[in-house]
Amino acid sequence: MTGGAGYIGSHAAKALSRAGYRVIVLDNLIAGHREAVRYGELVEGDIADVAAVGAVIDRYEIGAVMHFAAYLDVGESVREPIKYYRNNVIGALSLLEAMAGRSVTSLVFSSTCATYGEPLATPIDEAHPQRPINSYGETKLAIERAFPHFEQAYGIHAVALRYFNAAGADPDGEIGEDHSPEIHLIPRAIEAATGGRGLQVFGDDYPTPDGTCLRDYVHVTDLADAHVRALEQVAGSGRSAAYNLGTGVPHSVREVIDAVARVTGRAVPWTLAPRRPGDPAALYARADKARVELGWSPRFSDLDAIVGTAWGWHRSHPQGYSGS
Ligand SMILES: NC(=O)c1ccc[n+]([C@@H]2O[C@H](COP(=O)([O-])OP(=O)(O)OC[C@H]3O[C@@H](n4cnc5c(N)ncnc54)[C@H](O)[C@@H]3O)[C@@H](O)[C@H]2O)c1
């Protein structure tokens, strides 16, 4: 598992381990946390180092790969595309090269709804045109587009999981979200509710019921479950595919702020800021394909359950992993 010291990877490692798999995490800890690797063995290294990745594959007799390692800040990707192309494209291609050289043929890949760009219609299904509007989305799409060629030439079968907004924390409170800087709405709203940085709402004049943007929040434990299912499908059937992972139920920024206030019992101070360029009014998934083909259905993705687990993690780890 690349990037298994990060937010989603650490939850997937827990799910895999519970399902009986042995997990080896390859992470350079640029954004991850040693303490987040509770379900697997950590090997420090960079995905761009083909020889090092190959050595891990050999040493641990790796049977399948989950690839989470990437940069994921959309705004930063617009300012620094080189950084994003280098890590998300060259890094991923290096990983694929190491896999191809050693006949590892099953891959589960962290993709994103950002590959769709401005939605032409909502909910977004997998057949929606993929026309990213930022370099982050482009880098993820570039790797998705490489898959058929790597499958034909090297027999690598890949499942691309296109997450919508990952949120929440392990319901057992063992692991959670600790990005630095934090860019995601729910932890930012919790931060604001607990006396930290103020929260900005970018635009309240969108064509949505309350004027703020609509997004699809999916619990990280549900994402983790989908990874186990995707792995078993691709390793068992050798069939490549792409799946949206979302709930199909959009929530506005205002609704999320209200949920954080309700769950924490505290006011969430926020200020209105101008719209951000490239923020579509509504982004939410049609995730029927994952339900039908993977048998996946979100169990924790009710908004209050998401916020409740995120709040539980924050209360027990106010400084994130550095305080644990
Ligand atoms: N968080 C979301 O809402 C979201 C939504 C859609 C897609 N994704 C995708 O999911 C994946 C995981 O996201 P996350 O929120 O867990 O991010 P994260 O930053 O918490 O985790 C990424 C991990 O990858 C590691 N990493 C980065 N570059 C590396 C490299 N070159 N070599 C080795 N390790 C490296 C980091 O140290 C970190 O531990 C990413 O690929 C991201 O694009 C995330």
Side-chain angles (χ1 to χ4, degrees):
M1 175 183 292
T2 73
Y7 171 46
I8 304 171
S10 59
H11 289 78
K14 178 168 180 173
L16 282 168
S17 161
R18 289 227 162 139
Y21 293 95
R22 180 174 178 221
V23 180
I24 308 300
V25 168
L26 178 71
D27 199 301
N28 63 5
L29 300 180
I30 191 134
H33 309 273
R34 194 179 297 283
E35 302 79 9
V37 186
R38 298 180 62 135
Y39 293 91
E41 192 174 320
L42 174 65
V43 178
E44 280 185 62
D46 199 299
I47 53 167
D49 185 341
V50 181
V53 176
V56 172
I57 292 174
D58 290 341
R59 175 163 167 219
Y60 294 97
E61 300 178 0
I62 299 295
V65 174
M66 284 192 185
H67 177 43
F68 294 91
Y71 294 139
L72 58 141
D73 181 336
V74 168
E76 184 185 60
S77 83
V78 174
R79 295 189 301 275
E80 297 184 59
I82 291 174
K83 177 174 174 180
Y84 279 70
Y85 275 84
R86 181 170 291 132
N87 205 28
N88 297 5
V89 178
I90 299 178
L93 292 176
S94 307
L95 172 71
L96 285 163
E97 186 180 340
M99 289 175 65
R102 285 165 177 81
S103 304
V104 178
T105 56
S106 298
L107 175 69
V108 179
F109 173 61
S110 298
S111 190
T112 166
C113 62
T115 59
Y116 293 117
E118 196 71 49
L120 304 175
T122 46
I124 298 171
D125 67 16
E126 290 82 355
H128 186 286
Q130 288 178 289
R131 292 190 202 127
I133 54 170
N134 48 62
S135 86
Y136 169 62
E138 284 286 3
T139 61
K140 292 287 182 174
L141 182 56
I143 297 308
E144 281 202 26
R145 290 215 166 126
F147 287 151
H149 307 290
F150 281 70
E151 181 165 47
Q152 194 183 20
Y154 311 116
I156 296 175
H157 310 295
V159 174
L161 298 178
R162 298 177 189 150
Y163 321 151
F164 281 65
N165 292 53
D170 173 35
D172 303 328
E174 293 181 332
I175 40 185
E177 184 165 15
D178 183 3
H179 289 120
S180 182
E182 187 55 75
I183 51 169
H184 294 135
L185 175 59
I186 292 171
R188 293 279 287 104
I190 289 176
E191 198 182 333
T194 50
R197 279 183 305 163
L199 180 68
Q200 288 183 309
V201 173
F202 299 104
D204 68 350
D205 55 353
Y206 285 94
T208 61
D210 66 19
T212 63
C213 288
L214 294 171
R215 294 291 180 269
D216 187 338
Y217 297 88
V218 55
H219 198 285
V220 65
T221 299
D222 288 325
L223 290 180
D225 172 48
H227 282 75
V228 178
R229 292 169 186 272
L231 173 72
E232 289 176 349
Q233 173 180 290
V234 72
S237 70
R239 201 161 60 78
S240 294
Y243 297 103
N244 284 343
L245 296 179
T247 63
V249 181
H251 291 289
S252 73
V253 173
R254 288 294 303 264
E255 279 181 85
V256 172
I257 292 174
D258 289 348
V260 171
R262 189 165 57 241
V263 168
T264 62
R266 300 169 188 223
V268 180
W270 60 272
T271 52
L272 185 62
R275 288 183 179 199
R276 288 184 301 197
D279 254 349
L283 275 180
Y284 57 101
R286 185 184 298 283
D288 298 359
K289 192 177 169 196
R291 283 173 216 269
V292 171
E293 294 187 15
L294 299 179
W296 176 74
S297 63
R299 290 187 301 142
F300 298 100
S301 290
D302 160 79
L303 185 57
D304 279 23
I306 289 177
V307 173
T309 55
W311 174 230
W313 164 254
H314 179 87
R315 269 190 306 180
S316 59
H317 297 78
Q319 310 302 326
Y321 287 104
S322 61
S324 61

